[in-house]
């Protein structure tokens, strides 16, 4: 157990009991402590009885942060962030809380924080933690990047993958930047990233692109604005219905005003793609696990691309601008 990393614990084995998750929690605590202690951050963490939750604090210079960490089977809901925010609100004015989730966040969880009067949380997802563990970025630098984005845009979640894609773009030669062949495709959540990557993997695409999670529905417009203003890059945004139609229209207007390509879906991504798989495939896949967005990825692998492009003009326009053509192979029939 001493030599294992976070990746070794990403998928539970088929035969496991509750003790396996408790063991994973202890490993998570050890790795988190190691990350913080390696950079002399005075880490203080402790397990909760369930074995899957950690709380504590750490320091960067004279600044002290409360931390909470969870590694659950499902994405962290809004209630968990509200609960942690309540703890932070009760501490010294100016205290910031840092939430680490190896199970990422539900789409509405991050949006829920934006409804409050004061933003005092910084969020790390599982990809952020893997990048730190792999030595791609120090924890101190990750905190600096996330705090700066939160201060500039009022957003608690900024994926480090997006930061790296920005850095890579900044290092491209001037000619490449002028041609603006680099695309950032924004989606609302981490599961959406994997689904759209699977879908686009079925195309031959000439443009450079990456798929970026905004962390919530209400975060898409601000991240799009940041990428366009700071990197002079092409941005496309895929958004799904928001319960409040006025807020939806406000988001659409803002994204259009900043000049991003916009694909507005009438359903969430899984249901959207479900419209383009055969009835036979839908029925065969219906009883399978949907853990971590697996069903949406199955639909992405098996959707009828010609029908999808024909019936979605905005998506078809984006594919045209990406220089995308469907690969000769058809649906995978993969379960």
């Amino acid at each position: 157990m001493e030599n294992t990393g976070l990746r070794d614990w990403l998928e539970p084995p088929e035969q496991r009991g509750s003790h396996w998750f408790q063991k994973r929690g202890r490993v998570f605590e050890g790795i988190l402590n190691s990350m913080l202690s390696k950079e002399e951050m005075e880490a203080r963490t402790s397990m909760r009885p369930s074995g899957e939750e950690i709380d504590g604090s750490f320091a960067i210079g004279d600044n002290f942060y409360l931390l909470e960490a969870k590694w659950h089977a499902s994405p962290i809901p809004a209630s968990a962030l509200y609960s942690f925010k309540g703890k932070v609100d009760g501490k010294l004015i100016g205290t910031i809380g840092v939430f680490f989730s190896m199970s990422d966040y539900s789409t509405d969880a991050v949006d829920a924080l934006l409804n409050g009067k004061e933003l005092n949380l910084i969020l790390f997802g599982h990809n952020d933690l893997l990048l730190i563990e792999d030595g791609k970025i120090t924890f101190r630098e990750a905190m600096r990047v996330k705090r700066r984005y939160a201060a500039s845009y009022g957003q608690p979640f900024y994926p480090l993958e997006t930061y790296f894609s920005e850095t890579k773009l900044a290092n491209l030669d001037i000619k490449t930047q002028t041609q603006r062949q680099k695309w950032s495709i924004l989606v609302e959540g981490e599961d959406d990233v994997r689904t759209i990557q699977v879908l686009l993997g079925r195309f031959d695409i000439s443009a450079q692109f990456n798929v970026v999670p905004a962390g919530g529905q209400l975060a898409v417009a601000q991240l799009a604005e940041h990428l366009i203003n700071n990197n002079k890059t092409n941005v496309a945004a895929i958004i799904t219905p928001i319960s409040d139609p006025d807020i939806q229209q406000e988001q659409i207007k803002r994204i259009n005003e900043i000049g991003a390509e916009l694909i507005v879906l009438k359903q969430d991504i899984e249901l959207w793609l479900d419209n383009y798989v055969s009835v036979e495939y839908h029925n065969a896949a219906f009883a399978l696990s949907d853990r971590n967005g697996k069903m949406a990825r199955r639909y992405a692998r098996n959707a009828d691309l010609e029908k999808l492009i024909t019936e979605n003009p905005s998506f078809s326009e984006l594919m045209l601008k990406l220089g995308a053509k469907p690969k000769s192979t058809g649906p995978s029939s993969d379960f």
Side-chain angles (χ1 to χ4, degrees):
M1 190 167 77
E2 292 179 359
N3 297 320
T4 62
L6 294 173
R7 280 192 175 82
D8 300 310
W9 296 82
L10 289 176
E11 291 295 331
E14 291 186 9
Q15 302 296 326
R16 83 270 183 177
S18 60
H19 67 281
W20 186 89
F21 294 97
Q22 293 171 356
K23 186 176 181 180
R24 182 172 72 174
R26 291 194 295 272
V27 172
F28 186 22
E29 181 184 25
I31 291 173
L32 193 55
N33 259 312
S34 178
M35 286 180 180
L36 298 170
S37 299
K38 181 180 179 181
E39 299 184 41
E40 300 180 349
M41 294 187 179
E42 303 176 37
R44 296 180 183 178
T45 63
S46 61
M47 298 290 299
R48 294 185 184 177
S50 68
E52 296 179 57
E53 301 176 10
I54 304 162
D55 58 17
S57 63
F58 64 93
I60 300 179
D62 293 331
N63 296 313
F64 294 89
Y65 300 85
L66 295 184
L67 75 84
E68 185 152 311
K70 295 180 187 288
W71 195 340
H72 291 180
S74 302
I76 299 302
S79 58
L81 295 185
Y82 273 137
S83 176
F84 182 46
K85 187 178 188 312
K87 297 175 188 176
V88 177
D89 289 342
K91 300 301 187 292
L92 182 69
I93 292 176
T95 298
I96 293 175
V98 183
F99 201 108
F100 302 93
S101 171
M102 279 300 293
S103 37
D104 293 317
Y105 304 92
S106 64
T107 302
D108 65 337
V110 180
D111 287 342
L113 293 179
L114 304 180
N115 294 325
K117 294 181 179 179
E118 181 180 272
L119 178 65
N120 54 7
L121 298 188
I122 300 293
L123 308 182
F124 280 74
H126 94 279
N127 281 332
D128 297 330
L129 290 165
L130 292 175
L131 287 168
I132 295 171
E133 184 183 54
D134 290 345
K136 304 295 185 182
I137 188 171
T138 65
F139 189 85
R140 288 177 184 271
E141 177 67 5
M143 281 292 294
R144 187 193 70 82
V145 166
K146 285 177 173 281
R147 282 203 63 173
R148 183 170 187 174
Y149 187 79
S152 299
Y153 295 95
Q155 294 285 343
F157 181 63
Y158 179 57
L160 294 178
E161 287 177 301
T162 304
Y163 169 70
F164 281 116
S165 69
E166 289 184 71
T167 304
K168 182 178 179 181
L169 180 65
N171 292 330
L172 293 176
D173 58 79
I174 296 174
K175 181 179 179 181
T176 303
Q177 290 188 45
T178 302
Q179 292 175 338
R180 293 170 63 86
Q181 290 299 304
K182 175 74 175 181
W183 282 82
S184 292
I185 301 172
L186 307 189
V187 293
E188 293 165 352
E190 291 282 356
D191 286 343
D192 299 332
V193 170
R194 293 186 280 271
T195 299
I196 296 302
Q197 285 174 335
V198 169
L199 180 64
L200 296 183
R202 297 180 57 198
F203 292 83
D204 286 317
I205 298 176
S206 60
Q208 293 184 338
F209 73 94
N210 61 324
V211 185
V212 178
Q217 292 179 301
L218 303 183
V220 174
Q222 285 168 307
L223 183 54
E225 182 178 357
H226 169 75
L227 292 173
I228 289 174
N229 290 344
N230 288 276
N231 300 305
K232 311 303 180 186
T233 185
N234 296 296
V235 172
I238 301 175
I239 63 173
T240 61
I242 297 176
S243 57
D244 187 324
D246 291 334
I247 294 178
Q248 178 97 70
Q249 288 306 311
E250 188 177 305
Q251 293 288 303
I252 290 173
K253 179 182 177 182
R254 185 171 178 185
I255 293 171
N256 282 327
E257 285 177 346
I258 61 179
E261 294 290 321
L262 181 60
I263 296 93
V264 181
L265 304 182
K266 296 180 180 179
Q267 302 165 297
D268 66 32
I269 288 178
E270 180 182 320
L271 292 176
W272 174 57
L273 293 172
D274 188 18
N275 294 318
Y276 301 102
V277 299
S278 67
V279 173
E280 293 76 15
Y281 184 83
H282 171 87
N283 291 338
F286 184 74
L288 299 178
S289 168
D290 190 28
R291 184 171 179 270
N292 296 328
K294 287 184 178 179
M295 193 66 76
R297 294 196 293 278
R298 291 189 188 101
Y299 293 158
R301 283 192 290 268
N302 290 276
D304 183 329
L305 296 183
E306 184 176 346
K307 184 178 179 183
L308 188 151
I309 290 173
T310 300
E311 296 184 3
N312 295 270
S314 59
F315 181 76
S316 176
E317 182 68 17
L318 174 60
M319 293 298 97
L320 183 64
K321 292 183 177 181
L322 290 174
K325 296 181 180 179
K327 293 179 179 177
S328 56
T329 55
S332 70
S333 297
D334 177 41
F335 288 91

